[in-house]
Amino acid sequence: MKTKLVLTIAMSVSLAVSSFGANEKRIDSPDGTMSVTVSDEGGQPQYAVSLNGQQVIQSSPLGLKMNFIDLTQGLTMTSCDVHTVEDEYTLRTTKQSLVKVVATEAVCHFAKVDANRPSSNQPALDIIFHVTGRDVAFRYKIYSRRTRGGETMVGVVENEASGFVLPDGTTTFLCPQSKPMGGFARTSPSYETSYTLDDEAGKNGWGEGYTFPCLFKASGQAQKTQKSKKSQEPQEIWFLISETGTDGGYVGCRLLNDGGTKYKIGFPQEGELNGVGSTTPAVSLPALTPWRTITIGNTLAPIVETTIANDLVKPKYQPSKEYTYGKGSWSWIIGMDSSCNFDEQKRYIDFSAAMGWRSVLIDAFWDKQIGYEKMAELARYGREKGVGIFLWYNSNGAWNDAPQTPIGKMDKSSIRRKEMAWLQQNGILGIKVDFFGGDKQQMMQLYEDILTDANEFGIQCIFHGCTLPRGWERMYPNYVASEAVLASENLHFGQGACDAEARNACTHPFIRNTVGSMDFGGSTLNKFYNADNQHGTIRRTSDVFALATAMLFQSSVQHFAMAPNNLIDAPDWAVQFMKDVPTTWDEVKFIDGYPGKYIIMARRSGQQWYIAGINAEKESVKAKVELKDFFKEGTVVTVYSDDAQLNGSIQTITIGRKKTQPCSIIIPENGGVVIK
């Protein structure tokens, strides 16, 4: 991992006085396309955002209410220090391996006058902004408070005023937050609900708001009343709101609707973690909060391509070893709990070896159905075959009723470290920890503790039944991915999920997977979600669709839903593609699409570009892709495509000499296309 940071202090730190007598500061991105206006009008910190002169976030509240001081009102902005920030870092585990950031960073200082001591104008709050041509982010620095009785050195953040007032007529693409202690074995919320797409603003999900990230669209027509004299004709605007940098020092947050197009930050629900623990974060002062991020663009390209979740964080520790990544197999998605036995896992190790894959994921109940001694034997067998093992664990704890074992191994430090020493001794690559209990501070601390301990023993971590990752690929070098999505297990459990697979798959690249690695566990080549491939839920999507999602869904470690029988019953060209497809990428480019309808995008691994598309609409997608943008003249590329009956085939074409040579593609409903 390489990081380079340059700060250039700008000359101007002056504040303008608005017509209402408030202090006001405008912060422009380095390229001048994005601007943030910060003010203290009425003693209340607030901000607004414009893109190319068009206001896209209307005046919205800022600030925090502490248990010892209200930092949402009675504040004065005393100064604003502006810097140009240049950062460069490498990261192999997300959508772009080499990231260069050029941003404007502004630290706006706010003071609060003590009514009993008017001359005491103490620094109370800094609001720090990070502004680029596609991203706006902000966070708070909270200061201690001097009083006659001493100095307040610790505090509780009781409420966060941070809001997002979007243009009238905004439509939403959101994942409702579920109520706590519901669902399977009272394991909710676990970020596993269906998205509502193209819905109207003004709703609050199922009453509990929405899980991050949250996608919105405002039409140009809806914004005409907001057009300034200098702006061009209003254009369609896309917004992605999320957060990053959350660790054990804060809570994981959600987005609440505050009426109409007004949204605000919400803390966890009281009932999470079985009602234990506070919904508010306790902090030592001075304290920095996580970042609130807004990615904005006239197209979906900035949304798909943003790296903001990792741009704003730093590694919390060094990797204990050089971690590697790759593909693997996973018996549970096809064979369920009964497949977690010695003989079947040995067969899956052989399958991974035949595919040239790195690992096998062995799911719940392995401790009872295989046992520790036989698992050590399986690990030795895997090493002989060049295949490592990931092992499943229950996170519990006392926060839900999930009975799957191993249980009680990850929630207490001494037991966890003893278990991890055994994992290290037997060469286990990583763990998949499941069934977490919400987003309260002590649960966020558990994630950090598991990751930190695992790194000491050289173990990689995947989380399921869990919260959204918030910059964790960069913060925790042994972190791999999180589920935090309605993932592939639902394709086994119900035909409705299979019928909606394409719609959901056309959603995730625009929302969930934009901000962090997503452990989905899909891309099966079985026709049925059953070990005999003869009965069970029926896959509606094509084989080419399965290949495309292997590329569209980003995670540096992928455990696919393929089964050993696919070596015989699946097309050779499909099996070969799944042997070769990378799991680490160097670059991503959005080409075309619309959430829930279709997606066409490209990823680069080394010098090799892959273009993939899928379609959920009844009408076939017809598009033209400029192959010259990705492949050099004379390159022979392979095209995987479907006919109207979802019969897949491959052909090769040679990139010619013409300056423009668009490739016409047709993607039928539930079908796909891949070009490499």
Side-chain angles (χ1 to χ4, degrees), residues 157-174:
V157 184
E158 294 184 339
N159 185 50
E160 187 171 329
S162 305
F164 312 86
V165 182
L166 307 180
D168 291 339
T170 293
T171 55
T172 70
F173 304 75
L174 302 173

Side-chain angles (χ1 to χ4, degrees), residues 22 53 85 152 167 178 189 196 357 397 408 434 474 483 485 498 634:
V85 179
T152 304
S178 56
T196 57
W357 290 350
D434 208 339
R474 193 176 180 197
E483 185 183 26
V485 72
C498 289

Side-chain angles (χ1 to χ4, degrees), residues 29 158 346 368 404 480 495 500 614 645:
S29 62
E158 294 184 339
K346 190 173 182 181
K368 294 183 178 297
Q404 285 85 350
V480 174
Q495 188 58 46
I614 54 175
Q645 288 72 45

Side-chain angles (χ1 to χ4, degrees), residues 488-504:
S488 63
E489 63 198 50
N490 298 280
L491 300 170
H492 187 117
F493 292 146
Q495 188 58 46
C498 289
D499 296 343
E501 181 184 7
R503 175 187 179 273
N504 292 330

Side-chain angles (χ1 to χ4, degrees), residues 203-467:
K203 301 179 181 180
N204 198 37
W206 300 339
E208 308 299 339
Y210 302 97
T211 61
F212 287 128
C214 298
L215 181 65
F216 303 88
K217 181 186 71 170
S219 67
Q221 184 66 31
Q223 298 169 75
K224 283 190 175 180
T225 58
Q226 302 156 15
K227 186 174 71 168
S228 68
K229 292 181 181 179
K230 294 183 180 180
S231 66
Q232 302 173 354
E233 184 68 18
Q235 300 181 53
E236 183 175 85
I237 297 288
W238 290 91
F239 312 81
L240 186 80
I241 298 175
S242 193
E243 65 179 0
T244 193
T246 307
D247 58 15
Y250 213 74
V251 296
C253 294
R254 54 194 163 123
L255 198 65
L256 303 176
N257 182 262
D258 203 25
T261 59
K262 299 177 182 178
Y263 293 83
K264 65 179 182 181
I265 292 293
F267 286 167
Q269 303 166 70
E270 184 67 36
E272 293 179 19
L273 199 58
N274 204 10
V276 175
S278 174
T279 63
T280 55
V283 296
S284 59
L285 303 174
L288 287 167
T289 68
W291 292 90
R292 284 62 184 94
T293 66
I294 317 167
T295 301
I296 306 172
N298 295 123
T299 72
L300 284 157
I303 309 296
V304 173
E305 298 171 13
T306 183
T307 57
I308 190 65
N310 291 302
D311 294 348
L312 297 169
V313 300
K314 295 290 187 291
K316 295 178 74 70
Y317 49 74
Q318 292 299 311
S320 63
K321 69 177 188 180
E322 183 177 354
Y323 291 107
T324 60
Y325 313 96
K327 302 176 286 291
S329 62
W330 177 40
S331 71
W332 185 89
I333 183 61
I334 299 296
M336 297 279 105
D337 292 342
S338 63
S339 71
C340 292
N341 62 73
F342 183 88
D343 291 338
E344 187 69 350
Q345 295 311 310
K346 190 173 182 181
R347 191 166 76 101
Y348 266 79
I349 289 173
D350 291 339
F351 173 51
S352 281
M355 294 293 292
W357 290 350
R358 169 180 178 256
S359 62
V360 164
L361 168 61
I362 303 179
D363 222 277
F365 296 118
W366 62 264
D367 60 324
K368 294 183 178 297
Q369 296 172 186
I370 298 174
Y372 279 78
E373 185 177 339
K374 295 293 284 185
M375 183 57 70
E377 183 180 335
L378 269 180
R380 290 192 295 273
Y381 180 77
R383 285 196 296 275
E384 293 172 1
K385 295 282 186 173
V387 176
I389 291 175
F390 278 71
L391 289 179
W392 187 97
Y393 284 87
N394 195 326
S395 77
N396 257 341
W399 33 88
N400 54 53
D401 301 321
Q404 285 85 350
T405 62
I407 197 168
K409 300 288 188 180
M410 289 292 141
D411 59 311
K412 294 180 176 62
S413 178
S414 59
I415 299 173
R416 179 172 59 240
R417 292 178 64 83
K418 182 179 179 181
E419 188 77 5
M420 289 179 174
W422 178 86
L423 294 169
Q424 183 186 51
Q425 179 183 350
N426 287 281
I428 303 300
L429 290 178
I431 55 177
K432 170 185 170 182
V433 188
D434 208 339
F435 300 133
F436 287 85
D439 288 336
K440 291 180 179 178
Q441 188 171 10
Q442 63 196 85
M443 187 54 63
M444 305 309 289
Q445 185 64 59
L446 178 63
Y447 286 109
E448 184 165 5
D449 289 345
I450 291 172
L451 285 159
T452 303
D453 283 348
N455 179 64
E456 288 190 34
F457 293 95
I459 296 166
Q460 294 176 301
C461 295
I462 299 170
F463 296 129
H464 268 235
C466 59
T467 193

